[in-house]
Amino acid sequence: MDRRYTPGEVEIKWQRRWSEAGCFRALKDDTRDKFYCLEMFPYPSGKIHMGHVRNYAIGDVIARYKRMRGFNVLHPMGWDAFGMPAENAAINNNVPPAKWTFENMEYMKGQLNRMGLSYDWEREAATCTPEYYRWNQWFFIKMYDRGLAYRKTSHVNWCPSCATVLANEQVIDDGCWRCDSRVVQKELEQWFLKITDYTEELLEACEMDLSGWPEHVVAMQRNWIGRSDGLEADFEIEGMQEKLRIFTTRADTLFGVTYMAIAPGHPLVEKLVSDREALRKIDAHYGDAEKKIGMNTGHFAINPVNGERVPIYVANFVLMEYGTGAIMCVPAHDQRDFEFASEYGLPVRQVIRPADGDRGSMLAEAFEEYGVMADSGKYTGMASAEGRIAIARDFEEKNIGQRVVNYKLRDWGISRQRYWGTPIPIVYCEKCGVVPESEENLPVLLPEDVKLKGVGDSPLNTPSFTDTACPLCGGKARRETDTMDTFVDSSWYFIRYCHDRGEVDMTSGEVRAEVDYWMPVDQYIGGVEHAVLHLLYSRFFTRVLRDLGITASSEPFRNLLTQGMVCKETYKCPEHGWLFPEEAEGGECTKCSRPVETGRVVKMSKSKKNVIDPNHLIERYGADTARTFSLFAAPPERDLEWADKGVEGTYRFLGRIWNLMFSNLDNIKSADPSAAAPSPLMRKVHQTIRRVTNDIEKDYHFNTAIAAMMELLNEMASADPTTKEDWGTFRFAMETLLTLLSPFAPHISEELWEALGKKGMAMEQPWPSWDEEAAKEDEVELVIQVNGKVRSKFMAAAGLPDEELKRMALSDGKAQEFLGGKEPRKVFVIKGRLVNIVV
């Protein structure tokens, strides 16, 4: 054993051994309980970043821990490989997207292996391969046959920079989720997947089946689906036969209507509007949440509750996709209506007042809460929550409205006008119309002779791709040139991992048996930024595949962990702008020696250059340090604030274990752990096993688990073994520490385990168990608080009754000083921790 701790040599040695031995190969075994651990797969951008390191270290500890607990663990990895970045890189660098993508995948795979991650690479999948995307196409055809895939003309979110359509979920603050360019509205014929057929099931499962998910993520899913119980009612249009049907969730505000608003695409627009140019300007800002644009049609609707004439406007903020495409507008009680009314000088009439008093006649903003109805005819004085129901019931009795349920969730538009994606398997035949490609012709391959420009029409709009034969009649036909949204790829990849062959038949009984064995994913790990997009689509897709007989699961992920971001302070030079950390050493810019401004701690990003290169970190300190620090610095669900001192401290911790083993190696190797005797060190070992186990089992609090191992190391370092029993205890402590450390820092654990002369590998050992009796404290230190503030401490025998602990605390000299002779009002005892005296 080398005296010096050289992590690079040690880590490469064990990574090679694991690979040669196939240690992480997962095989279906009906005699064992399975555990499917999965981190969200990366886009092959070229390099992993610290966010990847943290995400994958979390998953790897869980996978390794579960193996040691006896589970049959599936822990796969692959690549979310289609998408615009590859296409843009191909355009900028004049290289095929496939070449750029596969080179990046190969490099990043090397980085992941260098981290010592326990992946079963036999199951590796890349979404850009024909073996993978043929099943995207097969699923699409099956959905088409079932009416779940359809085409319609629709307003779409269009990114001028990326020259493609975006789903609603991909528009963030009116900008493109990838490039931040302002998104505009465009009318195109698009393909949709009918996720709305599963709306109620998806919503109900939020309450029933997602108990292993963070509540805030479940709430985001629930809110995105957006169930609304309300009233559909007809407003007559003055001088016309047609009526304007609206949907409202606040029937109690009907007496406050001062105008109506309809979407620019509403069917009645043709009859109500003659100024087409003005209409086009509104249409250009369709769905804009910030800018309210509208026009008065000159027509009036009649409010059915009071007979008032109210003007009808066309407004950009009204969506055809929600409700009826027409709304009644109550500026006093809806902020969006209030802002539009303020812009166009429309009346604001308050008809709901706070239950605790009058808010006044002038409103600075809308009062959107429930309260008491006012100026509302026979409903005046009624609680508005009750009035809402009473008005709806009256409308139904008069046959002028009905209670209905609406949802915010819209069907998923999957058409994209780009090259690097799955071709939609549809052909257009003059004789047969719209025809799905025959299954035996799948996959519809991406052509390799396409010239990519990055702007304008779809790159697939070229005769070499479009000209084809109709699958029905054999006549001339034209292929669809849109490709699928890349979220289709990631909506079922976890099912693809359930089998390990490149060419598979997803419909075969053998594959179905494997899927049913492994699914659902037991622990899924990834960023909260995917709480709506990816997770909702995956839940939808899993249900479709269930109905197709591919899986028995309805939910894809039993438990979800959303890890926090990795954050670091920023550095800025007055002359050179943002600097990388290495360019700001010593507080000066290395380019010009000017003082550097240190900014606040924010998420690591290339744009602000506050990034740490995992390669440099691993080269300097080793993968075990990188892994352990990323797990020790914060609980997994919290943001991690980068600290160079923390990295150094983690490296020293591992080095101390190495040095303790080296300096005592002969005595440790010759010791017999079965000769271990009860002692303070033995008690600490059992306490550490208990604490580490409980910290992992309860919310994966790896940071406190590592802290417990550090405490055990301190106890071992301060021990002074002399007898045979002492050394037996010391060896038992060392073996236990290495076993507990193995999931976190697997390389150093294996090297030291081998140095002990142990057979097999540390990671193959069963997870240690503790003896509750052996873990009991002889004495415990308790804190004394007076009115919640720490004032003293005292030692007491473990297990003393509460009354005795109260007596000891009240007699403590320092506590008496703060009591000042006063009688305590109450005394609380928290077992094993503190006594709180309330004066």
Side-chain angles (χ1 to χ4, degrees):
M1 180 180 173
D2 197 326
R3 184 183 186 92
R4 293 178 301 107
Y5 174 42
T6 52
E9 295 176 16
V10 169
E11 290 167 359
I12 290 171
K13 165 188 169 180
W14 285 102
Q15 287 160 13
R16 186 183 303 115
R17 282 202 193 175
W18 294 333
S19 177
E20 290 170 353
C23 289
F24 310 125
R25 188 86 168 84
L27 295 172
K28 177 175 173 287
D29 183 350
D30 292 319
T31 66
R32 298 172 62 196
D33 290 336
K34 65 89 179 182
F35 190 89
Y36 186 173
C37 182
L38 182 64
E39 304 98 64
M40 293 181 184
F41 62 171
Y43 182 80
S45 57
K47 284 185 177 182
I48 65 171
H49 51 67
M50 285 309 304
H52 289 130
V53 171
R54 189 184 192 199
N55 187 8
Y56 303 147
I58 290 169
D60 200 53
V61 170
I62 295 171
R64 287 174 177 273
Y65 169 75
K66 289 295 183 179
R67 283 193 191 96
M68 296 175 78
R69 295 305 300 252
F71 286 90
N72 186 23
V73 173
L74 172 59
H75 189 209
M77 180 49 69
W79 311 97
D80 191 10
F82 270 142
M84 288 184 288
E87 190 163 337
N88 292 337
I91 294 166
N92 295 334
N93 301 312
N94 197 28
V95 295
K99 182 176 186 296
W100 184 87
T101 300
F102 281 100
E103 286 177 354
N104 286 350
M105 283 161 45
E106 191 63 28
Y107 183 80
M108 290 176 69
K109 183 175 179 179
Q111 289 183 295
L112 297 180
N113 280 328
R114 185 61 186 84
M115 282 181 62
L117 301 169
S118 59
Y119 292 134
D120 179 0
W121 285 108
E122 295 291 326
R123 296 171 185 267
E124 180 183 11
T127 60
C128 65
T129 61
E131 302 85 55
Y132 188 94
Y133 70 71
R134 80 179 294 264
W135 292 105
N136 285 351
Q137 295 171 343
W138 188 85
F139 297 146
F140 179 92
I141 291 170
K142 292 302 178 185
M143 290 189 200
Y144 180 86
D145 292 342
R146 290 170 171 244
L148 292 173
Y150 66 95
R151 189 174 64 143
K152 71 172 182 178
T153 300
S154 143
H155 278 90
V156 296
N157 303 307
W158 178 262
C159 174
S161 175
C162 297
T164 193
V165 171
L166 304 176
N168 290 334
E169 298 92 331
Q170 294 167 312
V171 180
I172 310 298
D173 296 328
D174 297 325
C176 173
W177 73 305
R178 285 203 184 276
C179 71
D180 292 327
S181 297
R182 186 174 181 80
V183 172
V184 299
Q185 293 298 306
K186 193 171 183 178
E187 198 169 73
L188 289 176
E189 203 156 40
Q190 299 284 291
W191 284 96
F192 291 82
L193 298 183
K194 207 167 186 183
I195 189 174
T196 53
D197 269 17
Y198 291 83
T199 302
E200 253 323 309
E201 186 181 346
L202 290 166
L203 187 60
E204 287 176 6
C206 287
E207 315 304 326
M208 305 291 291
D209 301 327
L210 303 184
S211 59
W213 289 34
E215 177 50 40
H216 68 281
V217 176
V218 178
M220 292 168 77
Q221 293 264 309
R222 194 186 297 119
N223 294 338
W224 191 265
I225 295 169
R227 177 185 168 116
S228 298
D229 295 272
L231 172 72
E232 272 191 3
D234 290 329
F235 281 59
E236 292 183 359
I237 301 176
E238 191 175 69
M240 295 179 64
Q241 293 281 336
E242 291 86 350
K243 294 180 180 180
L244 194 59
R245 172 155 289 196
I246 60 93
F247 171 78
T248 178
T249 60
R250 293 294 303 271
D252 54 309
T253 65
L254 264 160
F255 287 85
V257 173
T258 59
Y259 66 99
M260 310 294 287
I262 62 176
H266 193 281
L268 287 177
V269 164
E270 292 289 332
K271 294 188 176 183
L272 297 175
V273 177
S274 57
D275 189 342
R276 313 316 294 175
E277 184 58 35
L279 190 63
R280 273 193 291 273
K281 289 179 181 178
I282 297 170
D283 205 20
H285 293 275
Y286 179 74
D288 190 330
E290 297 297 322
K291 193 168 186 175
K292 307 293 189 298
I293 299 176
M295 64 177 293
N296 193 339
T297 66
H299 292 268
F300 291 85
I302 308 301
N303 189 335
V305 297
N306 56 18
E308 285 190 358
R309 299 166 73 240
V310 289
I312 302 172
Y313 278 73
V314 179
N316 69 318
F317 64 83
V318 186
L319 305 177
M320 273 306 301
E321 294 82 8
Y322 179 71
T324 64
I327 61 172
M328 63 180 215
C329 297
V330 189
H333 305 297
D334 183 285
Q335 187 60 29
R336 177 195 56 188
D337 299 350
F338 183 89
E339 291 168 3
F340 188 89
S342 301
E343 181 74 23
Y344 289 91
L346 294 162
V348 177
R349 181 187 303 153
Q350 186 175 0
V351 294
I352 307 294
R353 301 193 183 278
D356 57 358
D358 193 339
R359 194 172 172 187
S361 57
M362 296 297 292
L363 293 176
E365 59 183 11
F367 175 65
E368 297 185 319
E369 301 169 24
Y370 284 106
V372 178
M373 296 178 68
D375 300 325
S376 299
K378 70 177 184 179
Y379 308 100
T380 298
M382 187 179 290
S384 59
E386 296 174 9
R388 171 177 172 266
I389 298 170
I391 290 176
R393 186 172 56 242
D394 290 348
F395 268 57
E396 286 185 324
E397 289 176 0
K398 295 175 182 176
N399 290 321
I400 57 173
Q402 60 182 347
R403 281 175 281 192
V404 297
V405 175
N406 271 328
Y407 299 90
K408 285 197 300 185
L409 182 65
R410 304 270 70 86
D411 284 338
W412 176 11
I414 64 162
S415 289
R416 299 295 181 266
Q417 293 68 44
R418 299 299 293 229
Y419 166 75
W420 195 233
T422 300
I424 294 176
I426 290 290
V427 301
Y428 302 100
C429 172
E430 289 187 8
K431 180 180 177 183
C432 305
V434 179
V435 182
E437 185 57 86
S438 60
E439 292 179 26
E440 55 267 26
N441 289 340
L442 298 182
V444 176
L445 294 170
L446 281 171
E448 297 181 2
D449 59 347
V450 171
K451 182 69 175 176
L452 302 179
K453 299 178 181 178
V455 294
D457 199 5
S458 168
L460 294 180
N461 196 6
T462 177
S464 62
F465 177 77
T466 58
D467 294 354
T468 188
C470 173
L472 292 182
C473 70
K476 287 185 178 180
R478 178 178 174 82
R479 287 199 185 282
E480 170 63 68
T481 58
D482 285 352
T483 52
M484 295 184 195
D485 179 9
T486 54
F487 277 101
V488 172
D489 308 330
S490 58
S491 291
W492 68 280
Y493 76 107
F494 40 87
I495 292 177
R496 170 61 183 82
Y497 284 149
C498 291
H499 40 85
D500 57 1
R501 292 165 295 284
E503 286 281 358
V504 297
D505 179 359
M506 293 291 297
T507 65
S508 73
E510 183 184 0
V511 170
R512 170 66 190 267
E514 288 188 84
V515 172
D516 285 347
Y517 175 75
W518 292 112
M519 284 293 292
V521 174
D522 294 283
Q523 184 63 63
Y524 198 37
I525 305 143
V528 74
E529 64 271 18
H530 299 294
V532 172
L533 296 114
H534 163 58
L535 294 176
L536 186 62
Y537 292 154
S538 296
R539 296 181 63 216
F540 160 62
F541 238 79
T542 301
R543 284 166 167 78
V544 173
L545 299 194
R546 174 201 64 193
D547 295 345
L548 291 173
I550 303 298
T551 177
S553 299
S554 295
E555 287 293 341
F557 315 120
R558 181 173 283 129
N559 297 289
L560 174 68
L561 191 160
T562 52
Q563 88 279 358
M565 298 180 293
V566 181
C567 305
K568 194 180 190 319
E569 67 228 343
T570 57
Y571 306 101
K572 201 169 190 179
C573 170
E575 182 178 345
H576 295 100
W578 300 112
L579 300 175
F580 289 108
E582 60 270 19
E583 297 174 332
E585 291 183 359
E588 292 184 351
C589 175
T590 57
K591 300 175 183 178
C592 65
S593 299
R594 297 180 69 176
V596 169
E597 174 190 336
T598 300
R600 61 191 180 89
V601 175
V602 296
K603 177 186 176 183
M604 284 189 181
S605 68
K606 291 179 182 178
S607 61
K608 290 187 171 61
K609 296 188 176 181
N610 62 332
V611 293
I612 299 295
D613 186 340
N615 282 1
H616 295 163
L617 184 69
I618 291 171
E619 286 171 12
R620 183 170 179 179
Y621 296 105
D624 281 339
T625 294
R627 291 165 57 112
T628 306
F629 169 73
S630 71
L631 298 167
F632 176 60
E637 73 278 5
R638 301 273 184 85
D639 289 350
L640 183 159
E641 186 173 328
W642 188 267
D644 293 333
K645 289 183 179 179
V647 177
E648 291 279 358
T650 304
Y651 180 67
R652 285 197 301 272
F653 162 61
L654 297 177
R656 286 180 65 208
I657 300 174
W658 183 279
N659 294 333
L660 188 64
M661 171 77 94
F662 180 84
S663 58
N664 296 282
L665 186 57
D666 290 341
N667 285 323
I668 297 173
K669 288 183 70 174
S670 61
D672 180 5
S674 65
S679 66
L681 179 56
M682 179 63 80
R683 182 169 57 246
K684 190 66 173 179
V685 171
H686 284 278
Q687 290 172 343
T688 304
I689 297 170
R690 179 177 62 191
R691 185 173 164 192
V692 172
T693 305
N694 290 339
D695 286 345
I696 294 175
E697 290 287 347
K698 183 184 178 183
D699 301 327
Y700 299 127
H701 277 186
F702 305 128
N703 56 321
T704 51
I706 294 168
M709 288 185 271
M710 290 178 173
E711 290 176 14
L712 175 59
L713 177 64
N714 290 338
E715 190 90 4
M716 293 170 64
S718 63
D720 186 18
T722 54
T723 67
K724 176 183 176 182
E725 290 77 11
D726 290 346
W727 280 111
T729 302
F730 196 89
R731 171 155 185 156
F732 176 72
M734 181 61 78
E735 289 183 7
T736 302
L737 177 59
L738 296 179
T739 310
L740 297 175
L741 185 65
S742 176
F744 300 85
H747 309 89
I748 190 173
S749 300
E750 295 296 354
E751 185 71 11
L752 297 181
W753 188 261
E754 184 180 61
L756 283 173
K758 300 287 289 185
K759 292 183 179 179
M761 298 185 190
M763 69 176 183
E764 295 171 337
Q765 306 310 305
W767 187 258
S769 58
W770 72 90
D771 183 321
E772 198 65 57
E773 192 64 33
K776 278 187 178 178
E777 289 278 9
D778 288 338
E779 278 194 327
V780 293
E781 183 180 57
L782 290 95
V783 168
I784 301 175
Q785 293 181 343
V786 179
N787 290 339
K789 293 185 178 180
V790 176
R791 299 304 188 186
S792 186
K793 297 178 181 179
F794 70 101
M795 300 299 296
L800 278 180
D802 288 358
E803 289 306 314
E804 179 62 18
L805 295 174
K806 290 177 184 178
R807 187 195 65 74
M808 294 173 70
L810 288 169
S811 63
D812 181 86
K814 288 186 179 178
Q816 285 289 338
E817 288 178 23
F818 286 98
L819 286 174
K822 297 178 183 177
E823 281 296 316
R825 194 154 49 87
K826 286 185 179 180
V827 182
F828 300 96
V829 175
I830 298 179
K831 285 285 189 189
R833 291 179 55 194
L834 62 85
V835 179
N836 185 19
I837 304 168
V838 180
V839 180

